[in-house]
Amino acid sequence: MWSRAKKIGVRAAGLLAAVTVLAVLAVPATARNAYTYDYKKEAVGCPMPVTVNPSHPYAVQGLDKALSNPEDLAAYQERLYIADTGNNRIVVTDRNLQYISEITEISLEGEEPALASPGGVFVSEDGWLYVADTENQRVIVFDLELRAVRVVKNPQGSVLGDAFQFRPGKLAADGDGRLFVIAKDVYNGLMEFDRTGAFLGFTGANPVQYSLIDIFWKTILNEKQKESMERYVPTEFSGLDMDGAGFVYTVTQSVDSWNPAKSTPIRRQTGGGANILRYPEELGTPIGDLDFPYTTDPEEVKGPSAFVDIAVGDGGIYCALDSRRNRVFTYNADGRLLFVFGGEGQTEGRFVKPAAVELYDGHLYVLDSANGNIADFIWSDFGRGILEAETHYYEGRFAASGDAWKSVMRIDSRYELAYIGLGRVQMQLGDYTSALQNFSISHDKENYSKALSYLQRQNVEKYFLWIVFAVLAVVVLAFVAVRRLLPLLHRRLARYETVLGFAYAGHILIHPFDGFWDMKREKRGNLKSASIFYVLFVVTLILQDGATGFLFQPADHEFNLLLSALKGILICVLWWIASYCITTLLDGDGSRRDIVMAGGYCLAPYVLLNLPVIVLSNLVTLNETGVLAVISAASFLWCAFLLFASMTQIHQYSASKALGTLLLSLVAMAIILFLCLLLFNILQQLLSLVVSIYNEIVFRV
């Protein structure tokens, strides 16, 4: 008995653990687990991409005194360089955070020897060390032996002014000695210097961001008040890094909460300052968290992400450090968010006040300035698989990238980017059909459109002669049908009233005023043929929901046959009721039969134009979607015009009265729908009350 109870307890504990894991994945934004964003821009959990290196300590070992308010970190050839700002030194350690040496002063003639609050450190690709000696207003360049060889001092010139104070912060340099510096309280962009230390100018200033409130005030203020508002300055950079191609990545702490899509907190800049950072059009610029509270919440921090540093790795991958919620956001070369991890706290894998991030040889280091710790993260199987897949693709090894993405899928089959990545690989390898399937699963419309265009081009090249023969055959058959078959069919079918009424719709489409006049006065058309158009209208709505191409469907679309059919039936019934009520009140001449018949014929353009659109939506790419959208919009306008014409001829209204009646009918449809929903809600509550009373009586009895 005890053994059986023990087994039950173990199973219950396992079930509870599984539920707990699922709950953690279900609320990634507040959980300890990592997360990313899906195609709906909603946070979804994912496996942890990193683990804290168990063999490395958090604090630097062997120091005579602990780090004090360190502000920057760099890595090069098995060495870490730490800007220990509070202790006025640069600390050098090995990869295991074991102390090696430190730099506290320099020996250059005519220069202040001691460092004063160094706020930035960077090692170029050729191994030269650059140190921002902030309070001494200089940048010191060290050679491979850590000997000071050059000093970049406070630049002078008319552009800067005599009162300018050069207080360098974080910095980056390329192998040619070109230096970029973030100077404190400078908003004109990065300060650029050549290898001799000569100031070249500012580059890459952030555009001024105006909020919606600012724009509102600018529309109502007078000229003097507007001039004071124009004193806005660009946002100051907070961190930077340089990739292997010599492009500078920068981050800022500013994101417009009301219009984040217009913000560019992460930039990849050319020498001229142009932002060439790539990102998916449908997702927008990388801004960190996409969902954040606007009001104070004890559980969450208010506002968007605020980046303080960035690190660029192999394969175009970069990590941005958010100081608002203490998280690390990792993106690929195309600006797609790969994963997010971290958080606020003293526990393992979390930070108190993160100041710098560095990628180096399979490790990710995060410097915490509040406690002087350095977290050394290594990639988990999940994170390593993603980075390998992205790096292989970036370097043109597509087959290896595909294998890596498949390994990621085995770890987490719900990870959308794995399907996107595998689809891109298949597209490069020419397997466009498989690529379409993966892009459809991941709801990636942009790449789906590219794969579809490549597949169409491939099919045209492969079956060109067959396509030419098919087109010629269709033209010949159409010619024969018009000259021979149509007259024969007309003689055979002319005896059927429904067929004649159905064909009469063509006359109404071309001559609507004459057509509706004849329908009312000369009894042309019939109710059966009009009813066919109602049925076709409902069928068209069903096909639009279920058969429209992937590129034309909304991101969160789910097909429901019953709801689609009910939607079409409801529209028709509401129009009949509303139109009859309004035209009766306004002394219309049309009967209920006239209203129903006219409504059916007015739906003909919608059916005739949208059925081909549904078929073509599965064949065209994003570049042609505008043409189909115009055709679909034209069907609505044509239907509206026919309704207007029917009002004037059937009810003998003037143009203005017909237009007013049409608008009132639409309003009446909305009111009737609202009243029906209200009645349904009241009945539902009444039923709930009756059930509650019944349950109470049964319980008492």
Side-chain angles (χ1 to χ4, degrees), residues 20 85 123 153 232 240 261 303 354 390 401 445 452 542 548 681:
T20 302
T85 309
V123 184
K153 295 184 178 181
Y232 279 79
L240 78 165
E390 290 289 350
S401 178
K445 293 187 176 182
L452 182 60
I542 294 173
T548 297
N681 186 46

Side-chain angles (χ1 to χ4, degrees), residues 307-536:
F307 295 128
V308 293
D309 200 21
I310 188 169
V312 185
D314 296 332
I317 293 167
Y318 53 94
C319 298
L321 184 61
D322 173 24
S323 64
R324 180 150 287 152
R325 296 179 184 83
N326 301 351
R327 297 169 180 167
V328 179
F329 291 79
T330 304
Y331 296 88
N332 67 4
D334 292 322
R336 291 185 180 273
L337 179 64
L338 301 177
F339 44 74
V340 187
F341 66 92
E344 185 176 1
Q346 297 276 6
T347 56
E348 187 177 88
R350 291 176 172 260
F351 324 108
V352 179
K353 187 182 178 183
V357 61
E358 182 75 3
L359 285 168
Y360 177 70
D361 193 24
H363 291 251
L364 188 147
Y365 300 94
V366 178
L367 175 66
D368 195 331
S369 63
N371 48 34
N373 290 338
I374 299 177
D376 177 14
F377 295 99
I378 56 177
W379 303 111
S380 65
D381 291 340
F382 177 73
R384 189 183 308 109
I386 294 174
L387 298 188
E388 288 179 355
E390 290 289 350
T391 303
H392 288 323
Y393 184 87
Y394 188 83
E395 296 175 353
R397 298 188 295 271
F398 303 120
S401 178
D403 293 337
W405 281 125
K406 291 175 183 177
S407 69
V408 172
M409 289 179 180
R410 286 192 288 269
I411 298 174
D412 184 4
S413 61
R414 304 170 304 163
Y415 188 64
E416 281 184 8
L417 276 177
Y419 294 96
I420 295 175
L422 184 58
R424 291 167 63 202
V425 167
Q426 292 165 338
M427 190 164 56
Q428 291 290 343
L429 297 176
D431 187 3
Y432 303 121
T433 303
S434 299
L436 288 174
Q437 294 175 354
N438 283 306
F439 292 142
S440 176
I441 293 172
S442 57
H443 299 86
D444 185 357
K445 293 187 176 182
E446 183 176 349
N447 281 314
Y448 184 96
S449 177
K450 291 180 181 178
L452 182 60
S453 65
Y454 293 146
L455 180 61
Q456 291 172 348
R457 187 182 307 169
Q458 184 185 68
N459 289 334
V460 169
E461 293 174 354
K462 187 176 181 180
Y463 304 108
F464 177 75
L465 291 178
W466 291 104
I467 293 173
V468 172
F469 290 145
V471 171
L472 291 176
V474 169
V475 171
V476 171
L477 290 175
F479 179 78
V480 172
V482 171
R483 296 294 301 272
R484 302 287 185 180
L485 297 180
L486 287 183
L488 178 62
L489 288 174
H490 183 268
R491 289 194 298 270
R492 293 288 181 88
L493 298 177
R495 70 188 73 171
Y496 299 105
E497 181 184 2
T498 304
V499 175
L500 291 177
F502 192 77
Y504 184 67
H507 177 66
I508 289 180
L509 291 177
I510 301 174
H511 307 285
F513 294 97
D514 292 340
F516 286 116
W517 174 271
D518 293 341
M519 188 191 79
K520 172 67 175 176
R521 302 302 187 275
E522 299 181 8
K523 307 302 179 184
R524 299 284 299 276
N526 54 71
L527 192 58
K528 290 181 181 179
S529 59
S531 300
I532 294 176
F533 283 108
Y534 283 115
V535 174
L536 291 176

Side-chain angles (χ1 to χ4, degrees), residues 1-53:
M1 179 67 71
W2 170 252
S3 176
R4 184 178 180 183
K6 185 177 180 180
K7 289 181 179 179
I8 294 175
V10 170
R11 291 176 180 175
L15 179 61
L16 179 62
V19 171
T20 302
V21 170
L22 291 176
V24 168
L25 292 176
V27 286
T30 57
R32 298 176 62 86
N33 206 358
Y35 66 96
T36 185
Y37 286 93
D38 62 8
Y39 68 98
K40 299 179 184 178
K41 298 185 179 181
E42 296 178 355
V44 292
C46 67
M48 278 297 293
V50 295
T51 59
V52 177
N53 194 338

Side-chain angles (χ1 to χ4, degrees), residues 39-279:
Y39 68 98
K40 299 179 184 178
K41 298 185 179 181
E42 296 178 355
V44 292
C46 67
M48 278 297 293
V50 295
T51 59
V52 177
N53 194 338
S55 62
H56 289 189
Y58 266 98
V60 177
Q61 305 298 300
L63 286 175
D64 56 347
K65 53 183 176 181
L67 300 179
S68 174
N69 192 32
E71 292 186 6
D72 204 5
L73 173 71
Y76 183 78
Q77 289 189 349
E78 307 297 320
R79 296 287 185 268
L80 296 181
Y81 301 86
I82 307 163
D84 188 9
T85 309
N87 291 321
N88 303 317
R89 61 181 176 176
I90 302 297
V91 175
V92 184
T93 74
D94 63 13
R95 294 181 56 171
N96 299 323
L97 299 184
Q98 299 295 320
Y99 173 81
I100 295 177
S101 63
E102 62 184 55
I103 303 173
T104 58
E105 59 183 26
I106 62 173
S107 56
L108 283 177
E109 184 177 353
E111 293 292 332
E112 169 64 34
L115 301 184
S117 301
V121 60
F122 184 83
V123 184
S124 64
E125 59 184 17
D126 57 359
W128 286 51
L129 176 67
Y130 293 78
V131 175
D133 193 8
T134 306
E135 296 306 320
N136 282 329
Q137 301 183 24
R138 62 187 179 182
V139 173
I140 307 172
V141 185
F142 296 84
D143 63 12
L144 299 176
E145 303 298 327
L146 297 185
R147 295 174 300 199
V149 296
R150 188 169 68 249
V151 173
V152 178
K153 295 184 178 181
N154 189 357
Q156 302 296 324
S158 58
V159 175
L160 301 172
D162 297 334
F164 176 73
Q165 297 293 319
F166 180 53
R167 300 178 63 242
K170 293 182 178 180
L171 68 174
D174 60 18
D176 296 328
R178 191 176 50 148
L179 175 65
F180 298 89
V181 179
I182 297 175
K184 298 182 183 298
D185 302 323
V186 172
Y187 305 96
N188 296 30
L190 299 175
M191 299 187 70
E192 183 179 359
F193 301 84
D194 65 14
R195 64 177 301 107
T196 66
F199 176 59
L200 301 178
F202 296 100
T203 179
N206 264 317
V208 176
Q209 298 291 339
Y210 292 103
S211 67
L212 294 177
I213 297 176
D214 297 331
I215 296 174
F216 168 74
W217 282 114
K218 285 170 70 68
T219 60
I220 63 175
L221 297 179
N222 57 40
E223 292 300 323
K224 186 175 182 180
Q225 292 169 326
K226 286 181 181 180
E227 289 179 3
S228 64
M229 282 197 68
E230 293 297 339
R231 294 171 187 168
Y232 279 79
V233 294
T235 306
E236 183 181 7
F237 292 117
S238 55
L240 78 165
D241 198 7
M242 183 172 289
D243 64 11
F247 293 103
V248 178
Y249 285 73
T250 61
V251 291
T252 66
Q253 300 188 51
S254 174
V255 173
D256 185 355
S257 302
W258 300 103
N259 194 10
K262 296 297 183 181
S263 303
T264 55
I266 302 176
R267 294 166 58 91
R268 187 188 187 212
Q269 301 184 169
T270 63
N275 181 19
I276 58 171
L277 187 73
R278 293 189 298 182
Y279 56 88

